[in-house]
Amino acid sequence: MADLDNLKDTKDYHLDVPARNEPFFLKGAGALDWGMQNRLARIFNPRSGRTVMLAIDHGYFLGPTSGLERIDVNIVPLLPYADALMLTRGILRTTIPPSFGRGIVLRASGGPSIRKELSNELIAVDIEDGLRLNVAAMAIQVYIGGEYETQTVNNMTRMVDMANRYGIPTLGVTAVGKDMVRDAQYFRLATRICAELGAQFVKTYYVPNGFETVTASCPVPIVMAGGKKLPELEALTMAFRAVNEGAAGVDMGRNIFQSAAPAAMIQAVQKVVHELMKPEHAYELYQELAQATRDRAGV
Ligand code: R5P
């Protein structure tokens, strides 16, 4: 307890200054509780309102995919450039330094491997483990139009109910089955369902026609999944178009960790997402940084 000697009289109440209360300005977040907004601010940069989330959760159904064979060697050096990290609890506990201070988005659904029907997922992490790991969000995948559509939607709504109790946001991840059409109409349907059923943000793929109608009709932020590996300029162009058409950032995996120069690539993506740097300029930056890395390595 503070000592009570020589207490000073109160004096300045700033009577002419209205009390300030600034909610986090992220789309759809104004009515969320403080803890939920605080967690979202660990994912979305409070200055730009956008995020470069690095997705490294692929092993949950693919095993050690290319670029993720050794996360300690290939991914840990990229952490300084990631606003948030999307991954499984196994990789988080075994390999990610606890000093990583930005947002952890925990993959919380899974079950089938690539050898089975992928939409047959269940919730794979208890909310208490998310709390124990101090995560910024739980991520649940939904397969709209998939064989197990209702089950996956139910996974997400159950997680939203559990996570809401503790002020933890839920990321709805829209998955596309093998034979399903990827167009704006489909993604409007899938993202809106996730938001209507309580996801505080949604991850979806970019489509070249009508992506702005997907972001406009979704009342919560959308982050763009990267998808299959593209040449670097194409990937940067896709990221630019996505944020320019209303995405609140990216959740990119293969286009970063399978790049010839992953650290250079994620820094170029940062410039595109937070500063809307034109893709051609970001690609020049990528080339310069990649060359500097080669020079340092003497190759
Ligand atoms: C699927 O394995 C995960 O949800 C990934 O996080 C997602 O597909 C994003 O990674 P990528 O940019 O490689 O598609």
Side-chain angles (χ1 to χ4, degrees):
M1 181 177 148
D3 70 57
L4 300 178
D5 296 340
N6 297 322
L7 282 183
K8 286 188 180 167
D9 279 347
T10 54
K11 53 176 186 185
D12 194 350
Y13 289 90
H14 298 282
L15 297 179
D16 55 337
V17 182
R20 264 204 304 259
N21 174 19
E22 292 173 6
F24 188 36
F25 63 89
L26 199 68
K27 189 178 185 183
L32 301 176
D33 198 8
W34 193 93
M36 185 86 79
Q37 291 196 32
N38 175 263
R39 287 189 168 93
L40 287 167
R42 275 153 50 188
I43 299 168
F44 295 91
N45 180 318
R47 279 189 298 280
S48 68
R50 302 196 193 103
T51 186
V52 174
M53 203 188 300
L54 178 60
I56 57 163
D57 58 323
H58 306 58
Y60 86 96
F61 77 113
L62 278 176
T65 193
S66 172
L68 296 182
E69 299 89 341
R70 286 289 302 270
I71 288 174
D72 55 335
V73 176
N74 297 327
I75 300 297
V76 169
L78 306 181
L79 297 186
Y81 310 113
D83 297 316
L85 200 52
M86 179 175 178
L87 76 179
T88 60
R89 61 179 165 184
I91 293 300
L92 183 61
R93 280 203 168 94
T94 57
T95 316
I96 303 301
S99 54
F100 181 76
R102 289 174 299 281
I104 293 295
V105 179
L106 193 65
R107 160 149 298 264
S109 64
S113 75
I114 36 171
R115 299 182 179 207
K116 294 281 190 181
E117 165 53 41
L118 286 177
S119 69
N120 191 11
E121 284 195 348
L122 295 170
I123 291 177
V125 180
D126 196 292
I127 190 66
E128 278 180 13
D129 215 23
L131 282 168
R132 209 174 281 123
L133 291 165
N134 196 26
V135 302
M138 304 291 270
I140 298 280
Q141 192 152 261
V142 294
Y143 284 80
I144 300 301
E147 191 175 335
Y148 290 85
E149 174 186 84
T150 303
Q151 177 179 309
T152 60
V153 169
N154 186 246
N155 291 340
M156 196 199 79
T157 53
R158 282 170 52 221
M159 181 56 75
V160 168
D161 284 332
M162 288 188 285
N164 278 354
R165 279 184 215 131
Y166 303 103
I168 299 180
T170 299
L171 169 65
V173 178
T174 65
V176 187
K178 280 192 203 97
D179 305 320
M180 282 155 59
V181 183
R182 291 182 184 211
D183 62 13
Q185 187 183 32
Y186 174 77
F187 288 123
R188 280 196 301 270
L189 175 74
T191 57
R192 183 65 174 258
I193 288 173
C194 288
E196 296 257 357
L197 293 178
Q200 284 80 13
F201 61 126
V202 179
K203 165 165 150 170
T204 197
Y205 290 94
Y206 180 73
V207 284
N209 297 316
F211 187 72
E212 69 283 0
T213 66
V214 180
T215 56
S217 58
C218 184
V220 297
I222 283 187
V223 289
M224 183 205 77
K228 67 172 189 228
K229 173 75 176 75
L230 301 168
E232 278 75 5
L233 179 56
E234 280 179 42
L236 292 167
T237 303
M238 182 172 70
F240 178 84
R241 287 189 182 149
V243 290
N244 202 36
E245 292 165 25
V250 300
D251 184 19
M252 255 185 179
R254 288 162 287 177
N255 277 295
I256 291 173
F257 62 70
Q258 291 180 352
S259 165
M265 185 61 181
I266 193 170
Q267 289 176 81
V269 173
Q270 279 276 355
K271 288 284 182 188
V272 167
V273 168
H274 293 303
E275 299 174 26
L276 278 177
M277 181 183 270
K278 290 280 182 328
E280 304 74 32
H281 296 151
Y283 183 58
E284 280 168 23
L285 175 70
Y286 162 76
Q287 288 178 308
E288 283 165 25
L289 293 170
Q291 186 58 50
T293 308
R294 286 194 291 275
D295 291 347
R296 276 197 300 278
V299 289

